[in-house]
């Protein structure tokens, strides 16, 4: 075993071998994979081996499509058979709600290049003869589903990597990982140690244990997962003889089942409600090529549905039940990327769908390590989406919930209850008493809307029980004054003698003067958006940044990567140390003036001003800005003062009819202003010109900000896309994001977000289209729940297009 390497990959499952292969293919050949046993000794060897392109996040779906297309290449390069069978498949719907969801999947596939087709239940039965069409209301056909040989694929990755110069060390158990003073990593094994620049934790079932070696507690948990293999079935033999093909895959979402042919019989797997974690606290190092004891009673309810939906199973015997552990993250997506605070330490774990996602994970991580960027938008897989609130107990609760809902519908207005409430603000009980219906953002409870007594969310793809009440909250803001709780924003203090120079390089905007704020795009080296913030100059108190709360860990990782070594700049993520309130509407100034002794007239405190003032008795940092697009103020306050500030504002607002509004009303309000949001309109695949943020980029400023050259090039070349707003001739449902935008009879773009703008009484969609058609006013359609709706470009904001209200 070598004593030094550029990269050590820990874990010889399909993910670790994919990472090794991609690193070597990209030119990093001084890489070694360490496996404590034989390759595939964790979850890989007993996997069902299915593969598919469908994923809730379109960017992950692209990587899944890449993974499936990669198998032919690694088979040819390695000479190792992968056993790939591209049979195609059907996704089945037993309810109209499920069929609506599948229609959205078909629509999404149109702009992802995934060929999907809605078919009837009878047509599905013609393709997959074991199902009873009377049990279903419709289906979707996918030609890119299939299955493979898990061991063959893993060894193909490993052999291909070896041919490219990488090394694989089997029966080499990692016992500790220590960071040296010079930043290199000592990887200590039972056969000696390897010193490396980079370490990749692809430990699978042992990812937690590997993480703990460097003081990291990863939010992953293994779950027992069962599937059965039947005896040979005459129906299978007859179909094979008749068509010369295998029986295609089937996913029965409402039965929580997946099926495929296995030799002369069938394989049926289930994500049962009565699920069971495995080895909750520590994975035994001596676990290897073993299976867990089957528990057919636990999956019996699912099997009963399966035997009813697929009657041929009633007449066959079960040859084997496979029960093995697989690891999951709380939301079911992988954990991938660099770990904040541990330079050179990377993770690629929690990849439960390894044969659909393993290739994409390897590609993204190798790009990230070599080029400094994953080369794709992988936010849905980024380890930075979790913070220290994702404790072991939280992870246990959310993984069990996710597993039990693996095939369940997640409606756009549905909030999942496990692991909640965890983080709350000091006014949580006061807002709950007012009827607050809660969602969660980065672990923090956030008010979505306020329900009258006896009214709750009714989950639906269409306008639901909150529609009328959200309209009232919008009217409260537009006609008078509303108050919202805004602690879910991320807040940062930046101080130090070089803070201004550092911010000038980090952010693409012109720095504001003391007592002023500005909108501040942040770019990567390639000129793409990595963040959008409000930047405030607090004078002698330094600088204040506010941004997307879900991206706090993501942005802190970026900030800390670029901090100077001399300590001249300090940045602190304030998190729960600072809470927030906001008031907005034409009477907002009246309320603020009554609640404070400070002069808040337009002359003394104009638009984008910021300063400290007391709200009642509570010391606050107040900025004159509002995401509602109306006259408004944001107030940042230490948590011990939030209740006092809240009560002072509500008391001051009584005579002005103040009311509460939540994030669903805020979404309706911001859509009327064509305001984008991080994670939807603003993501690292778009440039500032494309996203409409170029007016905030100081192209001519002296500072050589990160991404400046690329941003200038984009401005000169014009980019490829444009962010646009549309008015949709919708029926009883509104877009939520990822719907295709049609133009001239073809899909030309995609929706990033939208909803109903209650004040303007319009259904609004925001999305990207090619710049060549971005100035067309008519001819657009947006596909929603299987129907194409006419859509008109809305170039000017529906509300206060001249910014008169917010500047008054």
């Amino acid at each position: 075993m070598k004593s030094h390497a550029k990269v050590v990959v820990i874990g010889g499952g399909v993910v670790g071998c994919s990472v090794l292969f991609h690193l070597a293919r990209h030119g990093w050949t001084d890489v070694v994979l360490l496996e404590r046993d034989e390759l595939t000794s964790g979850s890989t060897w007993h996997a069902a081996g299915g593969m598919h392109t469908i994923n809730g996040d379109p960017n992950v779906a692209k990587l899944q499509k890449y993974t499936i297309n990669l198998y032919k290449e690694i088979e040819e390069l390695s000479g190792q058979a992968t056993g790939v069978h591209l049979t195609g498949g059907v996704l089945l719907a037993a309810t109209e709600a499920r069929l609506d969801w599948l229609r959205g999947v078909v629509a999404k596939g149109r702009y992802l290049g995934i060929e999907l087709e809605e078919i009837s239940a009878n047509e599905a039965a013609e393709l997959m003869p074991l199902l009873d069409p009377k049990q279903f209301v419709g289906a979707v056909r996918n030609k890119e589903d299939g299955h493979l040989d898990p061991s063959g694929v893993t060894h193909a990755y490993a052999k291909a990597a070896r041919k490219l110069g990488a090394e694989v060390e089997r029966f080499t158990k990692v016992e500790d990982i220590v960071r040296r003073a010079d930043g290199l990593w000592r990887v200590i094994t039972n056969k000696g140690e390897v010193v490396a620049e980079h370490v990749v934790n692809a430990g699978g079932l042992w990812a937690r244990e590997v993480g703990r070696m460097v003081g990291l507690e990863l939010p992953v948990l293994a779950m027992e997962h069962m599937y059965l293999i039947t005896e040979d079935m005459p129906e299978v033999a007859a179909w094979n003889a008749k068509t010369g093909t295998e029986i295609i895959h089937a996913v029965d979402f409402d039965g929580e089942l997946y099926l495929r042919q296995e030799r002369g019989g069938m394989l049926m797997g289930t994500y049962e409600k009565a699920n069971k974690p495995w080895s909750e606290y520590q994975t035994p190092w001596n676990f290897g090529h073993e299976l867990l004891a089957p528990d057919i009673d636990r999956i019996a309810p699912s099997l009963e549905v399966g035997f009813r939906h697929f009657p041929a199973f009633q007449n066959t015997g079960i040859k084997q039940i496979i029960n093995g552990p697989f690891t999951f993250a709380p939301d079911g997506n992988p954990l991938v990327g660099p770990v904040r605070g541990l330079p050179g330490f990377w993770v690629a774990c929690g990849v439960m769908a390894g044969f659909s996602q393993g290739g994409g994970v390897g590609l993204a991580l190798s790009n990230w390590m070599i080029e400094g960027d994953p080369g794709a938008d992988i936010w849905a897989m980024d380890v930075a989406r979790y913070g220290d609130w994702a404790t072991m107990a939280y992870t246990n609760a959310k993984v069990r919930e996710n597993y039990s809902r693996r095939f369940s519908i997640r409606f756009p207005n549905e909030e999942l209850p496990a692991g909640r409430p965890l983080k709350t603000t000091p006014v949580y009980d006061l807002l709950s008493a007012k009827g607050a219906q809660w969602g969660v953002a980065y672990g923090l409870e956030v008010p979505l809307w306020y329900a009258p007594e006896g009214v709750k969310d009714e989950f639906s793809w269409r306008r639901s029980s909150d529609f009328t009440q959200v309209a009232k909250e919008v009217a409260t803001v537009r006609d008078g004054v509303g108050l919202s709780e805004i602690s879910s924003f991320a807040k940062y203090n930046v101080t130090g003698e070089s803070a201004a120079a550092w911010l000038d390089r980090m952010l693409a905007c012109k720095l504001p003067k003391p007592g002023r704020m500005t909108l501040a795009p942040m770019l990567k080296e390639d000129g793409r958006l990595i963040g959008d913030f409000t930047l405030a100059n607090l004078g002698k108190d330094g600088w204040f940044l506010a941004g997307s709360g879900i991206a706090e860990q993501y942005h802190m990782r970026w900030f800390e990567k670029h901090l100077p070594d001399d300590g001249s700049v300090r940045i602190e993520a304030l998190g729960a140390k600072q809470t927030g309130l906001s008031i907005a509407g034409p009477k907002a100034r009246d309320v603020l003036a009554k609640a404070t002794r400070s002069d808040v007239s337009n002359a003394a405190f104009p638009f984008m001003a910021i300063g400290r003032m007391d709200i009642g008795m509570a010391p606050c940092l107040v900025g004159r800005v509002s995401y509602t697009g109306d006259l408004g103020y944001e107030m940042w306050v230490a948590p011990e003062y939030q209740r006092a500030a809240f009560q002072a504002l509500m008391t001051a607002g009584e005579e002005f009819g103040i009311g509460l509004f939540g994030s669903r009303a805020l979404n309706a309000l911001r859509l009327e202003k064509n305001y984008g949001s991080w994670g939807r309109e603003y993501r690292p695949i778009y440039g500032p010109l494309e996203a409409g943020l170029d007016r905030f980029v100081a192209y001519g400023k002296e500072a050589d900000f990160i991404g400046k050259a690329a941003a200038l090039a984009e401005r000169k070349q014009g980019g490829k896309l444009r962010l646009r707003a549309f008015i949709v001739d919708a029926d009883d449902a509104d877009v939520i994001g990822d719907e295709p935008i049609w133009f001239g009879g073809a899909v030309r773009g995609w929706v990033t977000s939208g909803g109903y703008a209650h004040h303007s009484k319009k259904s609004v969609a925001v999305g990207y289209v090619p710049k060549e058609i971005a100035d067309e006013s008519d001819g657009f359609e947006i596909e929603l729940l299987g129907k194409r709706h006419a859509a008109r470009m809305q170039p000017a904001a529906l509300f206060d297009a001249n910014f008169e209200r917010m500047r008054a």
Side-chain angles (χ1 to χ4, degrees):
M1 183 176 71
K2 60 168 60 179
S3 61
H4 291 75
K6 192 171 189 68
V7 183
V8 169
V9 178
I10 301 172
V14 64
V15 174
C17 290
S18 170
V19 171
L20 189 76
F21 163 73
H22 282 90
L23 287 170
R25 189 178 71 170
H26 282 59
W28 277 17
T29 55
D30 182 18
V31 293
V32 59
L33 183 146
L34 306 180
E35 164 56 44
R36 67 179 183 94
D37 201 310
E38 186 58 84
L39 298 182
T40 77
S41 291
S43 298
T44 297
W45 74 274
H46 59 73
M51 57 184 184
H52 54 89
T53 54
I54 301 303
N55 188 279
D57 186 284
N59 298 290
V60 176
K62 291 177 185 177
L63 292 177
Q64 291 183 187
K65 183 178 176 68
Y66 164 82
T67 298
I68 292 172
N69 293 336
L70 178 65
Y71 289 134
K72 182 178 180 181
E73 177 185 338
I74 63 169
E75 186 172 81
E76 292 176 350
L77 180 58
S78 66
Q80 167 73 50
T82 59
V84 169
H85 297 247
L86 280 175
T87 62
V90 286
L91 310 175
L92 301 167
T95 66
E96 289 296 333
R98 173 64 66 182
L99 191 56
D100 279 343
W101 177 79
L102 285 175
R103 286 167 177 153
V105 171
V106 172
K108 192 182 301 183
R110 299 194 202 283
Y111 70 83
L112 293 174
I114 300 173
E115 188 176 349
L116 303 169
E117 177 188 8
E118 182 182 344
I119 59 176
S120 69
N122 286 330
E123 289 172 318
E126 293 174 3
L127 296 169
M128 203 289 183
L130 303 185
L131 67 84
D132 177 5
K134 296 185 182 67
Q135 303 294 325
F136 303 99
V137 299
V140 164
R141 184 182 184 187
N142 182 4
K143 296 182 179 180
E144 296 185 63
D145 277 5
H147 61 272
L148 43 70
D149 171 21
S151 178
V153 165
T154 305
H155 283 280
Y157 276 127
K159 288 181 179 180
R162 285 193 191 102
K163 283 191 174 183
L164 294 169
E167 296 183 24
V168 174
E169 294 286 345
R170 299 173 301 150
F171 307 104
T172 305
K173 178 175 175 286
V174 175
E175 297 178 335
D176 202 2
I177 306 169
V178 179
R179 191 169 183 225
R180 304 195 323 186
D182 61 2
L184 298 178
W185 294 94
R186 294 173 57 213
V187 182
I188 301 165
T189 80
N190 60 336
K191 294 182 178 178
E193 70 175 59
V194 186
V195 176
E197 293 180 40
H198 302 272
V199 175
V200 178
N201 177 2
L205 291 174
W206 295 269
R208 288 180 307 180
E209 283 64 37
V210 173
R212 288 167 184 165
M213 294 177 185
V214 296
L216 179 66
E217 188 66 40
L218 287 166
V220 292
L221 176 69
M223 300 291 291
E224 293 191 14
H225 180 69
M226 279 180 277
Y227 61 87
L228 61 84
I229 299 172
T230 72
E231 303 284 357
D232 289 353
M233 299 173 66
E235 296 87 350
V236 172
W239 179 266
N240 296 163
K242 174 185 175 182
T243 66
T245 64
E246 290 182 76
I247 289 182
I248 64 174
H249 280 228
V251 177
D252 177 3
F253 289 100
D254 299 283
E256 300 165 338
L257 302 164
Y258 60 90
L259 304 91
R260 69 167 176 84
Q261 184 172 335
E262 174 67 15
R263 300 185 185 275
M266 292 293 293
L267 180 153
M268 177 186 284
T270 176
Y271 288 91
E272 70 281 2
K273 299 295 185 187
N275 53 66
K276 183 179 179 181
W278 177 77
S279 192
E280 294 182 58
Y281 308 113
Q282 189 165 359
T283 305
W285 285 104
N286 59 356
F287 185 80
H289 281 80
E290 297 105 342
L291 291 172
L292 308 176
D295 185 358
I296 197 166
D297 290 340
R298 203 168 76 239
I299 63 173
S302 296
L303 297 184
E304 289 176 8
V305 176
F307 293 171
R308 186 170 68 251
H309 287 189
F310 304 89
F313 279 80
Q314 300 173 18
N315 305 316
T316 190
I318 297 174
K319 182 165 64 176
Q320 187 179 13
I321 297 178
I322 306 294
N323 185 17
F326 288 87
T327 56
F328 294 77
D331 61 3
N333 279 338
L335 300 174
V336 179
V339 176
R340 177 189 167 200
L342 296 174
F345 191 86
W346 307 75
V347 295
C349 54
V351 191
M352 59 78 50
F355 296 101
S356 297
Q357 299 173 343
V361 168
L363 174 69
L365 195 66
S366 62
N367 283 340
W368 214 336
M369 296 174 73
I370 296 171
E371 305 293 339
D373 187 90
D377 185 350
I378 67 160
W379 168 251
M381 300 194 298
D382 196 324
V383 66
R385 70 188 186 276
Y386 291 106
D388 58 8
W389 46 270
T391 61
M392 184 181 290
Y394 170 89
T395 298
N396 189 305
K398 294 305 287 186
V399 167
R400 297 187 70 168
E401 178 184 63
N402 178 270
Y403 185 98
S404 70
R405 295 179 51 89
R406 187 74 187 163
F407 287 156
S408 298
I409 296 173
R410 174 74 181 271
F411 290 101
N413 63 331
E414 184 176 8
E415 298 295 323
L416 304 183
R420 299 175 52 203
L422 178 56
K423 291 199 299 181
T424 59
T425 64
V427 296
Y428 176 81
D429 60 326
L430 300 179
L431 301 184
S432 295
K434 297 288 188 179
Q437 304 299 297
W438 296 95
V440 65
Y442 201 62
L444 179 69
E445 296 293 317
V446 295
L448 302 174
W449 63 290
Y450 292 85
E453 187 174 351
V455 178
K456 298 286 185 183
D457 262 327
E458 296 174 2
F459 305 139
S460 174
W461 296 108
R462 291 168 169 78
R463 294 168 189 163
S464 188
S465 53
D466 66 333
F467 189 79
T468 301
Q469 190 61 28
V470 170
K472 292 179 180 178
E473 294 175 24
V474 167
T476 294
V477 174
R478 290 289 188 244
D479 299 338
V481 57
L483 184 149
S484 64
E485 211 282 350
I486 59 171
S487 299
S488 60
F489 282 95
K491 294 83 60 181
Y492 312 87
N493 276 344
V494 184
T495 56
E497 60 188 39
S498 299
W502 182 75
L503 286 167
D504 216 12
R505 170 163 166 71
M506 294 298 296
L507 304 174
C509 63
K510 181 181 178 181
L511 299 189
K513 295 179 179 179
R516 301 292 296 167
M517 297 183 291
T518 190
L519 296 180
M522 185 166 69
L523 311 180
K524 300 184 297 170
E525 287 84 352
D526 63 1
R528 302 294 179 178
L529 289 163
I530 198 170
D532 71 304
F533 301 91
T534 300
L535 172 66
N537 186 338
L538 304 183
K540 62 181 178 60
D541 292 332
W543 302 79
F544 175 76
L545 276 173
S548 172
I550 62 172
E552 180 184 291
Q553 190 88 342
Y554 174 82
H555 285 139
M556 281 299 291
R557 185 177 63 191
W558 179 261
F559 289 142
E560 290 172 350
K561 177 183 176 181
H562 293 89
L563 283 175
D565 295 330
D566 60 7
S568 60
V569 180
R570 296 174 296 279
I571 182 166
E572 179 187 10
L574 297 171
K577 295 178 182 178
Q578 195 168 66
T579 58
L581 300 167
S582 174
I583 55 173
K587 298 179 182 178
R589 182 184 290 113
D590 297 326
V591 173
L592 183 60
K594 190 172 181 180
T596 183
R597 295 181 61 193
S598 299
D599 185 354
V600 294
S601 66
N602 193 43
F605 203 66
F607 179 60
M608 298 303 276
I610 191 166
R612 300 192 183 278
M613 61 184 73
D614 294 343
I615 305 298
M617 295 184 292
C620 298
L621 177 66
V622 181
R624 188 179 154 186
V625 65
S626 175
Y627 196 44
T628 65
D630 215 315
L631 171 66
Y633 304 85
E634 291 179 351
M635 284 146 276
W636 305 106
V637 55
E640 60 266 31
Y641 296 119
Q642 193 193 30
R643 290 176 74 94
F646 172 82
Q647 290 167 334
L649 289 167
M650 293 299 288
T651 299
E654 284 179 1
E655 68 175 279
F656 305 106
I658 194 168
L660 299 173
F661 69 101
S663 61
R664 290 183 183 168
L666 182 62
N667 184 62
L669 293 162
R670 66 100 181 172
L671 288 171
E672 294 185 319
K673 291 292 292 181
N674 293 356
Y675 286 169
S677 64
W678 175 256
R680 302 303 304 180
E681 286 71 46
Y682 309 142
R683 295 186 74 142
I685 52 176
Y686 307 122
L689 175 62
E690 294 176 326
L693 294 180
D694 53 311
R695 65 189 185 278
F696 302 112
V697 175
Y699 294 98
K701 74 174 181 177
E702 186 176 344
D704 187 21
F705 60 85
I706 295 173
K708 183 176 184 179
L712 284 167
E714 182 204 30
R715 185 171 68 161
K716 181 178 180 181
Q717 297 162 6
K720 296 180 180 180
L721 303 170
R722 291 293 185 272
L723 181 64
R724 292 291 186 261
F726 300 87
I727 306 302
V728 186
D729 290 344
D731 298 325
D732 60 347
D734 306 290
V735 303
I736 57 174
D738 299 327
E739 296 86 358
I741 300 173
W742 292 73
F743 183 82
V747 174
R748 301 297 304 278
W750 55 89
V751 173
T752 51
S753 68
Y756 193 79
H758 290 272
H759 179 71
S760 303
K761 295 181 171 52
K762 304 288 186 184
S763 186
V764 177
V766 182
Y768 282 91
V769 296
K771 66 177 180 182
E772 293 78 14
I773 61 171
D775 294 324
E776 299 287 341
S777 57
D778 296 313
F780 291 96
E781 295 175 303
I782 292 177
E783 185 172 350
L784 178 59
L785 299 178
K787 179 182 176 181
R788 283 153 62 176
H789 298 260
R792 298 174 302 285
M793 189 82 72
Q794 181 64 32
L798 287 167
F799 174 78
D800 193 27
N802 296 321
F803 297 91
E804 293 173 358
R805 279 269 284 261
M806 62 191 309
R807 295 178 183 275

